[in-house]
Amino acid sequence: MHLYVLPALFALFVWWFSTGAIMYLDGLPRRTFRYSMIGATILLFASFWGLQASAHDTTLKAAYCAFSCGLLAWGWQEISFYMGYVTGPRRAPCPEGCSGWKHFGHAIQTSLWHELAIIASGVIVVALTWHQPNQIGMWTFMVLWWMHQSAKLNVFLGVRNLNEEFLPDHLQFLRSFLTKKSMNLLFPISITVSMVIQVKLVQAAFAPHASAFDAAGYCFLSTLMFLAILEHWLLMLPLPAAALWGWSLTSRKPVSTVEIEVVAGFLGAGKTTVLRERMAQQKAGGGGPRTVVLVNDFAAAGIDGSLLSGQGADVVELPNGCICCSLKQDLAKQLRTVIADHAPERVLIEPSGVADLASLIAVLSAPDIKALVHRLHVMTVLDAGSFLRDFGRMPAHIEAQAKLADELILNKIDLASNAERALIETTLRMQNRQARILPASYGVVQEIAPLPRLVAGTDAIVAGPVLEPHANHVHEHDHDHDHGHGHDHAGHDHHDHDHDHDHDHHAHAHGHVMEFQSWSGMLSLPCNPQRLHDLLVRVAAGQFGEVERVKGLARAGGGWMRFDIAGGRVSMMAFAAPETEAARVIAIGRNLDEARLRAAFEDCAAVLSDAA
């Protein structure tokens, strides 16, 4: 009986221990991965040598050797994948709404190099044992390959238990390719085929003419096939699979979660100014939580990252796109990297002024990101001085940003009259009755003072709080927009809650209404402030297209200045720039005359340099 029991116990132990060892090594700090891979590669070549050396031998010792070498050759495939060295060309989650064959194609891309490496190793294993009497190592590799492919397809098609806790942090994007389902059509086929193979192997092991070598070899293989069946059932039955390898998960640090604050708002509302002031207050107060700032500029050459640097937080820029559209996969990847590398307690995100806030929240609510976030807080910054103009041109965008906010910051409040302020706040209350509305000037949030309110049917202004809209009031516009952004704040603490938005669709507010283009250029020569101001006035007046926003940094008078066009208003001020700073300008709008803009700024810089 020992001819059957000992090989079975040996196979069971080696499978359990090697699986746990790989998971333990995957959980160690990434700086250790290179040493693990070097060791695994040495063992891989040792296994090839062992397979060749034992291929002619049919003793019991050779059976154990060949089986062990087959396992070692397979172990390299697993450790190289789970450590991220041999995966595939795709290292990002599957895009939203992707399904069918396209989804399957993306899944293949995540492990294409891994699968090719398995094929290459399999060819080597077959070649080393070709036409030799000891084929145990080769069949060990093939059975493990079958287990791998079958389990992989089943978790893609859908199983009850995804065992996501086994995924290391750097492979969390694979969660988007795992499907939770009570059953899939492949599962019974996988179980049936595996059981048929299992029965055949057991029969061969107990055959009357089987030698000790044959009995041990077939026991090794039948045990592996039994474990394949067990692994498949663990994907479906409510059994604690993680308990089998609890010791191997001790190398993994508890996943730290972060607080995320989104500072959204239309172009020129003052998002960067609000962020600068917020960070400056934190720095003056002794530091506060460890903070990283993610800044997204719509143009190729970002400005906001430079304006936020030096405020006591690391700044990461995502230029040349919108993080709710073309860059949303970059955002998810960058966020995971930032959390892994910087271990922040808080992440501040400043999306571009044309970002669709609903889509951004959807990105942050994706399973692989949501698990890292313990609090999501959304602030929308609005330009009080140009609110009526902005709302008249793009009501859908303003309404969507107001509905999804926890705080509405009315920046540049000094540019609005009491009547305008009351009108603005009443409009915002109709969109979001629960959000706090905070007045601000130059990004500094002011103490909430009694607010004058408009009395319906009169031009009078009455001191006191703004009247809340009646619960049954329906706010309608002449335009017909179906936003599809449900957002229920009832019962939430606005200082500490999770967003769980229900978005029927994510139609971008910058579709046909906000088809913006961006232009950026370098200012290689110093500028004269007066002449630059005159140029900015002409730009704001629409002489170069429908410009919504201009921002830039320029050298002047031996120092630096920053300049802006926001809400049709020109502003310029001194700026303390680091030595590595580059003078540049960004313009965002519609129908921009890029050639004339470039020529005007270049001419301005050249002429003014001479004048200086």
Side-chain angles (χ1 to χ4, degrees):
M1 184 59 67
H2 69 280
L3 289 177
Y4 307 105
V5 175
L6 290 180
L9 291 177
F10 180 79
L12 183 62
F13 173 78
V14 172
W15 166 81
W16 170 79
F17 180 78
S18 60
T19 301
I22 291 173
M23 288 192 291
Y24 181 84
L25 293 173
D26 287 342
L28 293 174
R30 298 193 69 171
R31 63 178 180 273
T32 67
F33 284 8
R34 68 180 68 180
Y35 306 111
S36 297
M37 273 306 299
I38 291 172
T41 303
I42 292 173
L43 290 176
L44 173 67
F45 285 105
S47 70
F48 289 158
W49 177 85
L51 286 170
Q52 185 180 39
S54 62
H56 309 279
D57 195 346
T58 57
T59 63
L60 189 59
K61 180 180 178 180
Y64 276 86
C65 177
F67 174 73
S68 300
C69 289
L71 275 174
L72 288 174
W74 181 260
W76 186 91
Q77 318 303 321
E78 294 290 278
I79 201 169
S80 64
F81 177 78
Y82 283 105
M83 287 189 173
Y85 285 103
V86 184
T87 54
R90 184 181 186 86
R91 290 174 176 261
C94 195
E96 282 182 58
C98 183
S99 60
W101 286 107
K102 189 174 182 180
H103 182 52
F104 183 69
H106 288 150
I108 290 176
Q109 291 174 15
T110 62
S111 60
L112 181 60
W113 312 143
H114 172 58
E115 300 299 340
L116 292 176
I118 293 175
I119 293 173
S121 298
V123 169
I124 294 173
V125 169
V126 170
L128 292 173
T129 58
W130 187 256
H131 288 317
Q132 299 301 322
N134 188 349
Q135 299 278 311
I136 294 174
M138 185 272 291
W139 285 114
T140 297
F141 192 92
M142 295 303 168
V143 169
L144 290 167
W145 194 355
W146 160 257
M147 294 170 65
H148 163 79
Q149 293 295 349
S150 178
K152 185 176 178 180
L153 286 172
N154 273 282
V155 296
F156 174 80
L157 295 173
V159 294
R160 288 180 183 270
N161 308 316
L162 297 175
N163 298 324
E164 296 165 298
E165 64 271 24
F166 294 135
L167 279 177
D169 291 343
H170 51 277
L171 294 181
Q172 289 298 312
F173 66 90
L174 293 176
R175 287 173 178 257
S176 64
F177 298 97
L178 309 181
T179 306
K180 195 172 184 66
K181 191 186 293 185
S182 59
M183 178 62 69
N184 70 78
L185 294 178
L186 178 63
F187 184 80
I189 297 175
S190 299
I191 292 293
T192 302
V193 172
S194 297
M195 289 185 69
V196 170
I197 297 174
Q198 164 80 4
V199 170
K200 294 292 184 182
L201 290 171
V202 171
Q203 289 176 342
F206 284 90
H209 61 275
S211 64
F213 169 82
D214 293 330
Y218 286 121
C219 275
F220 289 141
L221 298 176
S222 63
T223 302
L224 283 183
M225 192 55 65
F226 166 77
L227 293 172
I229 297 170
L230 176 63
E231 279 189 345
H232 280 67
W233 280 115
L234 288 175
L235 295 174
M236 287 295 183
L237 298 178
L239 298 174
L244 291 173
W245 294 282
W247 60 274
S248 69
L249 300 178
T250 58
S251 63
R252 302 189 181 186
K253 294 181 179 179
V255 178
S256 58
T257 58
V258 299
E259 170 188 346
I260 291 183
E261 292 187 9
V262 177
V263 182
F266 187 56
L267 297 166
K271 300 183 297 295
T272 305
T273 305
V274 169
L275 264 180
R276 275 176 60 88
E277 181 61 31
R278 193 173 181 83
M279 293 162 63
Q281 290 177 358
Q282 174 179 308
K283 187 177 180 180
R290 292 189 305 276
T291 301
V292 173
V293 184
L294 293 181
V295 182
N296 172 219
D297 258 315
F298 188 66
I303 295 288
D304 294 340
S306 297
L307 302 180
L308 291 170
S309 62
Q311 299 297 321
D314 294 318
V315 178
V316 178
E317 293 189 84
L318 290 172
N320 200 25
C322 173
I323 56 178
C324 67
C325 312
S326 59
L327 294 181
K328 62 183 177 182
Q329 290 183 6
D330 290 342
L331 170 64
K333 180 180 178 181
Q334 190 68 66
L335 191 56
R336 287 192 298 270
T337 302
V338 161
I339 292 173
D341 294 347
H342 298 270
E345 298 171 279
R346 180 176 64 172
V347 176
L348 301 176
I349 299 178
E350 181 191 346
S352 72
V354 298
D356 176 8
L357 189 54
S359 292
L360 173 57
I361 291 173
V363 172
L364 297 175
S365 301
D368 57 332
I369 297 298
K370 192 173 183 179
L372 303 175
V373 180
H374 69 260
R375 177 176 179 261
L376 175 60
H377 190 75
V378 178
M379 293 176 283
T380 294
V381 182
L382 300 134
D383 184 343
S386 63
F387 178 86
L388 297 179
R389 186 192 71 158
D390 293 340
F391 191 85
R393 292 182 303 132
M394 51 198 76
H397 184 70
I398 302 298
E399 287 176 358
Q401 292 204 332
K403 285 180 178 179
L404 295 170
D406 302 303
E407 289 182 345
L408 296 164
I409 299 177
L410 275 183
N411 196 31
K412 309 179 188 179
I413 197 66
D414 51 301
L415 300 179
S417 66
N418 285 340
E420 288 173 329
R421 178 180 166 187
L423 188 154
I424 293 169
E425 295 204 16
T426 300
T427 303
L428 294 175
R429 281 282 174 238
M430 290 179 177
Q431 308 304 322
N432 188 339
R433 290 194 292 269
Q434 302 299 323
R436 293 200 306 165
I437 299 179
L438 303 174
S441 181
Y442 295 98
V444 180
V445 176
Q446 303 172 0
E447 294 294 330
I448 301 178
L451 180 66
R453 60 181 172 84
L454 291 177
V455 178
T458 75
D459 294 327
I461 299 177
V462 182
V466 176
L467 288 175
E468 294 286 345
H470 192 274
N472 295 325
H473 180 78
V474 178
H475 185 48
E476 295 181 345
H477 295 280
D478 293 336
H479 54 85
D480 184 16
H481 292 284
D482 183 6
H483 308 299
H485 305 308
H487 184 60
D488 183 7
H489 284 274
H492 286 272
D493 179 355
H494 291 286
H495 296 280
D496 189 10
H497 74 274
D498 290 330
H499 281 265
D500 203 0
H501 305 286
D502 182 15
H503 306 298
D504 295 331
H505 64 273
H506 302 302
H508 286 198
H510 47 288
H512 70 283
V513 179
M514 299 179 65
E515 292 177 349
F516 289 119
Q517 64 185 107
S518 67
W519 168 82
S520 60
M522 306 304 293
L523 303 177
S524 57
L525 297 174
C527 296
N528 178 282
Q530 182 59 53
R531 294 291 298 274
L532 178 59
H533 179 272
D534 294 343
L535 172 59
L536 294 175
V537 170
R538 291 165 52 208
V539 173
Q543 295 185 21
F544 298 86
E546 300 175 44
V547 177
E548 292 288 346
R549 184 81 161 99
V550 170
K551 49 188 172 180
L553 301 173
R555 290 189 297 272
W560 286 81
M561 62 180 174
R562 53 176 288 202
F563 54 90
D564 263 273
I565 297 177
R569 298 179 295 273
V570 174
S571 66
M572 299 169 60
M573 65 184 69
F575 180 69
E579 294 181 1
T580 56
E581 193 60 81
R584 58 202 186 277
V585 58
I586 295 171
I588 302 173
R590 302 183 186 89
N591 304 316
L592 299 183
D593 192 334
E594 297 184 9
R596 289 184 60 227
L597 273 171
R598 181 176 293 103
F601 275 100
E602 288 178 354
D603 181 62
C604 176
V607 171
L608 301 175
S609 174
D610 295 337

